[in-house]
Amino acid sequence: MTDTTPARLLKLLSLLQTPREWPGGELAERLDVTPRTIRRDIDRLRELGYPVEASRGSAGGYRLVAGAALPPLVLDDEEAVAIAVGLRAGAGHAIEGVDEASVRALAKLEQVLPARLRHRVSALQTATVPLTRGDGSTIDPRTLTTLASAATGQERLRFAYRSGDGTETRRQVEPYRLVSTGRRWYLMAYDLLREDWRTFRVDRVSEPFATGARFTPRPLPVEGGGEDGGGGGAEDAARYFARSMAGRQPELRLDVWFAAPAEFVAARLPPTLGVPESVPGPDGENAGGENSGNACRLRSSCTDSLEWVALRLALVDCEFTVQGPPELVEHLGRLGARLTRAAGAPR
C-alpha cells in the first residue's frame, strides 16, 4: 500500500457504512481515484473482514452487508458523539436492559475519543436534563467506565466510599466485576484492607482512581465455583452477588392482587419482583365470568426495601391489594395517609 492508501480505505469504509448502494463511478469521483483503484480497495476491505457485496450491471455498485463477525466500525465525529452520549445516559441511570456490555462499550469508545469529542460529549450531557423514573440512583458514567476498565485490565482501584449510615471511608480493592440489577450498579471486589470480598453500591463510590498496579484475580468464595479466578466467572459472580445481597435486606414474600390483566402488570413491574399470573379477583368476582383474566396475582420473594417495593406497586397504575407481607401493608397504610394529607393541604 502507498502512504495514502490507509486514509483512502477509511474514507471508503465510512461511505460504505451508510445504508445505501454506491456505484463504483460515484465512489471513484468522491475519492478522486480511478474505478480500478476502487475495485482494488474493495478487495482489500474484504481481506480485512468487511463483507462488501457487489451487484453487476450498469446500475450496479457496492454496499456493506451483515457478515459472520463484527469488523471494526468507522464513525465520524457526530456519530461518535451521539453513541457516547447515548451510552452515558443509559449507564448513568441504570436503565433496565442496559447491562455491563454497555459500560464496556462506553469504556472502549471514550478511550479512543479525541479530546475535542470528549469535551463535546461532556458538555452535551451537562446541558441535558434527563427524565428518569425516579426509582434508581444516578451515577457519573465516568465512574462506571473507570471501574469497568480496571476490572477488565485487572488493575487495582482506590476510591472513596459512603456506607448506608453515611460513614465515609477510603478503599483499595481488586475489582472483579460490575453487576447491574436494572436500577442500580454494584461493584464486586476484593477489599485489600479488610482482606475479604465486598459488594459496593456504585452510586456511593466517588473519586475512583486506577493505581496502575496489576493483580491476578482471586477465585470467588462460592461453592462449586471455578478456581481460575478470571475464567467462567459470570455464573460464580451471579451466585456470589445473590448471596451477598440476600444477607443485607430481609426477604419480603410478596402476595399482591392487581385489578388488571397479567400482561399489563408485567409490563410495568421490574423483572426482579417476579411475574404475575392471571387469576380471579381477590373476592372471586371475576371467576368464570366474561371479565375473567382481568385480574392477576403476584407471589414472589425479593430483598428490596419496603419503600422501593411500595413505589413500584403504585407505579403500575391500577387498583391493587397487598395480602402480605404485613410490614408492606403497614408501610402502604402510612404512605397512603401521608399522601392523603398532602392532597388535602391548604394552598
Side-chain angles (χ1 to χ4, degrees):
M1 291 186 187
T2 65
D3 292 340
T4 59
T5 300
R8 188 178 67 247
L9 285 178
L10 288 175
K11 291 180 181 179
L12 174 59
L13 183 57
S14 180
L15 292 173
L16 290 175
Q17 284 179 165
T18 57
R20 58 162 289 189
E21 184 171 290
W22 289 87
E26 186 175 349
L27 289 174
E29 183 179 348
R30 288 264 190 149
L31 299 178
D32 194 24
V33 294
T34 65
R36 182 179 179 183
T37 299
I38 291 295
R39 289 194 294 271
R40 289 201 305 265
D41 287 350
I42 292 294
D43 289 338
R44 291 190 179 103
L45 289 178
R46 288 168 176 163
E47 292 172 359
L48 293 172
Y50 293 95
V52 182
E53 185 179 82
S55 57
R56 298 183 180 277
S58 58
Y62 302 97
R63 65 188 183 96
L64 196 63
V65 298
L70 178 65
L73 297 176
V74 175
L75 304 173
D76 62 28
D77 286 5
E78 301 302 325
E79 293 166 341
V81 169
I83 292 174
V85 169
L87 288 171
R88 276 189 168 203
H93 296 287
I95 297 172
E96 292 171 17
V98 179
D99 56 11
E100 293 86 345
S102 299
V103 179
R104 292 198 305 270
L106 180 57
K108 291 177 182 178
L109 181 58
E110 292 201 338
Q111 183 179 2
V112 297
L113 280 179
R116 69 179 190 282
L117 296 188
R118 284 198 299 271
H119 174 74
R120 287 178 58 186
V121 171
S122 298
L124 181 57
Q125 189 174 33
T126 300
T128 302
V129 178
L131 296 179
T132 59
R133 295 171 300 176
D135 58 356
S137 302
T138 57
I139 302 169
D140 186 345
R142 287 171 294 186
T143 297
L144 278 173
T145 55
T146 298
L147 302 185
S149 297
T152 302
Q154 299 174 7
E155 188 175 354
R156 288 178 177 172
L157 272 171
R158 287 194 181 121
F159 55 82
Y161 190 70
R162 175 180 51 82
S163 63
D165 61 6
T167 303
E168 300 277 353
T169 56
R170 305 291 301 186
R171 305 296 183 102
Q172 183 173 2
V173 304
E174 295 176 350
Y176 184 80
R177 187 155 300 193
L178 280 168
V179 178
S180 172
T181 64
R183 66 188 183 96
R184 285 199 180 105
W185 286 92
Y186 295 87
L187 172 68
M188 297 168 50
Y190 186 84
D191 192 313
L192 294 171
L193 180 61
R194 290 154 180 80
E195 297 184 343
D196 198 4
W197 288 90
R198 292 290 188 270
T199 302
F200 302 95
R201 269 180 51 173
V202 176
D203 58 297
R204 295 175 178 168
V205 170
S206 60
E207 305 172 40
F209 173 73
T211 66
R214 304 290 177 177
F215 66 91
T216 300
R218 307 167 191 257
L220 281 172
V222 292
E223 295 181 3
E227 296 299 324
D228 59 347
E235 294 182 2
D236 289 354
R239 288 200 300 271
Y240 177 81
F241 178 77
R243 191 182 71 185
S244 65
M245 295 307 295
R248 295 188 176 197
Q249 287 275 9
E251 186 178 59
L252 299 178
R253 296 186 177 274
L254 303 179
D255 188 354
V256 186
W257 295 86
F258 296 92
E263 295 79 7
F264 176 91
V265 175
R268 288 160 177 79
L269 280 179
T272 53
L273 288 185
V275 179
E277 297 181 354
S278 296
V279 292
D283 300 318
E285 65 269 20
N286 291 334
E290 62 178 359
N291 292 325
S292 180
N294 286 343
C296 63
R297 186 177 187 181
L298 175 68
R299 285 180 286 191
S300 64
S301 298
C302 71
T303 55
D304 291 294
S305 67
L306 285 173
E307 295 79 7
W308 186 78
V309 173
L311 174 63
R312 288 317 307 247
L313 294 178
L315 288 177
V316 174
D317 197 24
C318 71
E319 297 292 327
F320 65 94
T321 302
V322 176
Q323 306 291 325
E327 55 267 36
L328 179 58
V329 175
E330 294 175 5
H331 177 77
L332 284 169
R334 293 192 298 270
L335 178 61
R338 190 181 309 130
L339 293 175
T340 299
R341 291 193 299 271
R347 298 182 180 179

